[in-house]
């Protein structure tokens, strides 16, 4: 059960029960919205809540709005301030998930983006694991990833998540933990709600931003950590489906998923079926970074409470 008490709604913080919309809301009917998923991590050492990559998420929200003709009346700085204010009101002392959402609030029966009223809301709730296991077994989905020319894949568009939900559902119903989704060109794109990396011969490989992926913030973080901390080369290039089967290691990364080693794909063990050395190192390093324990990356963590 969600444990949050408030939401930022119609320009102010209100009790969560008051943050409701009409059934006529355009976004509810047509999926005309865009959103972010942000994590805050509780640091027991510091007795502090640290929001990870807050600015980067709010910048991406602005880019999604730009692509989708949506009006966001708050600057990135204002969005960050709203987030901090809401989290302080909630007085969370645990890991949290933060959800800003821009949506077409207009009641019009109108399938378009222009000339309709937009609204912004933000809420946060206590949150643990998104994928509830330390390692995952994945399948290649029979669903294809939405093409950038169908629903812009680099915009985190609400309606696009029908695609993610179908892929995830198929994977779960077939006994897997997560889906790997191919693009319309038949090459690997990403997971239902995470980006994907493989390791081959000591090189990290991930599909390029032109492979219909979301421009993942964790993907960027992994790239930087791999370069600066692990000294590993990273190549962005298309990945064939069968390359997944011969990879030494593979992992998902995302705000929700964090770094999740994949130990099996389409019933073939990845490497020796155990967490590989690169994935293992990244899991540990990421866990330290997000809780503010690595001074060089401390600027990625925004403290919520005044100390
Ligand atoms: N791809 C999709 C489709 C997603 O929903 C997410 C989660 N936001 C990601 C990738 C990972 O992005 P990020 O690291 O910015 O959370």
């Amino acid at each position: 059960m969600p444990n949050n008490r408030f939401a930022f709604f119609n320009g102010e913080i209100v009790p969560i029960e008051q943050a409701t919309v009409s059934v006529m809301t355009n976004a509810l009917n047509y999926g005309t919205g865009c959103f972010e998923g942000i994590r805050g991590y509780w640091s027991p050492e510091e007795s502090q809540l640290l929001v990870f990559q807050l600015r980067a998420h709010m910048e991406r929200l602005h880019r999604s709005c730009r692509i989708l003709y949506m009006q966001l009346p708050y600057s990135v700085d204002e969005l960050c301030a709203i987030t901090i204010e809401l989290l302080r009101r909630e007085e969370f002392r645990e890991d949290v998930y933060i959800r800003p959402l821009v949506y077409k609030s207009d009641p019009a029966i109108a399938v378009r983006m222009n000339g309709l009223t937009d609204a912004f809301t933000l809420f946060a709730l206590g949150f643990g694991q998104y994928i509830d296991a330390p390692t995952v077994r994945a399948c290649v989905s029979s669903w294809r990833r939405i093409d950038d020319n169908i629903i812009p894949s680099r915009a985190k568009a609400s309606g696009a998540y029908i695609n993610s939900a179908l892929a995830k559902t198929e994977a779960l119903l077939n006994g897997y933990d997560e889906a790997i989704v191919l693009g319309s060109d038949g090459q690997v794109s990403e997971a239902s709600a995470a980006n994907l990396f493989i390791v081959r011969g000591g090189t990290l490989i991930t599909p390029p931003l032109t492979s219909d992926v979301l421009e993942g913030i964790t993907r960027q973080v992994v790239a930087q950590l791999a370069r600066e901390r692990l000294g590993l080369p990273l190549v962005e290039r298309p990945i064939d489906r069968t390359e997944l089967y011969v990879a030494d290691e593979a992992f998902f990364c995302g705000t929700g998923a964090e770094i999740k080693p994949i130990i099996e794909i389409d019933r073939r063990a990845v490497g020796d079926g155990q967490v590989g050395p690169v994935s293992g190192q990244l899991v540990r390093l990421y866990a330290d970074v997000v809780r503010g324990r690595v001074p060089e990356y401390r600027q990625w963590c925004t403290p919520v409470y005044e100390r």
Side-chain angles (χ1 to χ4, degrees):
M1 274 294 284
N3 61 347
N4 51 330
R5 296 178 291 147
F6 303 102
F8 184 86
F9 185 71
N10 289 343
E12 57 182 338
I13 294 178
V14 299
I16 190 72
E17 305 77 43
Q18 290 175 23
T20 56
V21 298
S22 159
V23 291
M24 293 177 72
T25 303
N26 188 273
L28 180 62
N29 286 264
Y30 304 113
T32 45
C34 60
F35 64 97
E36 274 303 319
I38 311 169
R39 268 188 191 264
Y41 289 89
W42 179 249
S43 162
E45 307 93 282
E46 297 178 42
S47 227
Q48 180 62 278
L49 185 58
L50 299 168
V51 183
F52 191 60
Q53 291 280 11
L54 178 57
R55 273 196 83 77
H57 282 281
M58 294 312 188
E59 284 166 3
R60 187 171 64 188
L61 188 62
H62 267 277
R63 292 199 298 275
S64 293
C65 286
R66 177 185 283 264
I67 293 171
L68 300 174
Y69 300 99
M70 302 197 72
Q71 305 301 322
L72 180 47
Y74 303 107
S75 67
V76 169
D77 284 338
E78 287 166 338
L79 291 169
C80 294
I82 289 167
T83 308
I84 299 300
E85 195 188 334
L86 182 93
L87 292 171
R88 284 184 185 165
R89 281 288 287 280
E90 294 277 13
E91 300 179 334
F92 285 121
R93 293 175 64 86
E94 62 185 307
D95 293 353
V96 298
Y97 189 80
I98 303 152
R99 166 56 47 79
L101 169 68
V102 190
Y103 61 101
K104 293 281 167 198
S105 58
D106 207 294
I109 301 292
V111 182
R112 61 169 198 268
M113 301 305 282
N114 64 312
L116 300 176
T117 312
D118 292 315
F120 171 76
T121 187
L122 184 145
F123 58 87
L125 59 160
F127 199 75
Q129 292 279 306
Y130 173 69
I131 299 177
D132 213 4
T135 58
V136 294
R137 296 169 52 250
C139 62
V140 172
S141 181
S142 70
W143 296 96
R144 292 293 172 98
R145 170 78 173 145
I146 44 161
D147 183 295
D148 194 50
N149 290 301
I150 295 177
I151 298 176
S153 30
R154 80 192 63 252
K156 207 167 159 55
S158 301
Y161 280 77
I162 291 279
N163 177 249
S164 297
L166 286 170
K168 180 83 175 189
T169 303
E170 180 191 52
L172 292 175
L173 294 181
N174 287 339
Y176 300 95
D177 304 305
E178 184 54 76
I180 297 171
V181 189
L182 307 179
S184 43
D185 60 359
Q187 284 178 315
V188 174
S189 179
E190 57 180 350
S192 68
N195 293 107
L196 174 135
F197 283 78
I198 60 172
V199 182
R200 292 195 72 185
T203 297
L204 269 171
I205 307 166
T206 195
L209 293 180
T210 47
S211 287
D212 298 327
V213 299
L214 183 74
E215 296 187 350
I217 289 160
T218 321
R219 178 183 179 278
Q220 269 306 117
V221 166
V222 167
Q224 193 168 337
L225 294 179
R227 188 175 64 242
E228 294 176 0
R229 302 292 291 220
L230 309 186
L232 281 182
L234 167 66
V235 178
E236 292 189 27
R237 64 155 175 80
I239 297 176
D240 284 337
R241 171 187 189 150
T242 55
E243 218 179 342
L244 298 171
Y245 304 151
V246 297
D248 303 327
E249 298 183 39
F251 60 88
F252 295 125
C253 70
T255 300
E258 303 176 299
I259 313 276
K260 240 352 137 173
I262 311 169
I263 54 163
E264 193 188 295
I265 299 174
D266 286 347
R267 302 196 186 278
R268 293 160 177 91
V270 176
D272 61 4
Q274 310 286 322
V275 177
V278 175
S279 314
Q281 266 182 294
L282 279 168
V283 168
R284 287 188 295 276
L285 180 56
Y286 187 78
D288 283 340
V289 166
V290 296
R291 272 177 226 277
R293 294 179 187 133
V294 185
E296 295 96 302
Y297 305 113
R298 178 69 194 196
Q299 75 280 8
W300 289 344
C301 307
T302 305
V304 169
Y305 301 116
E306 280 163 346
R307 294 281 181 235

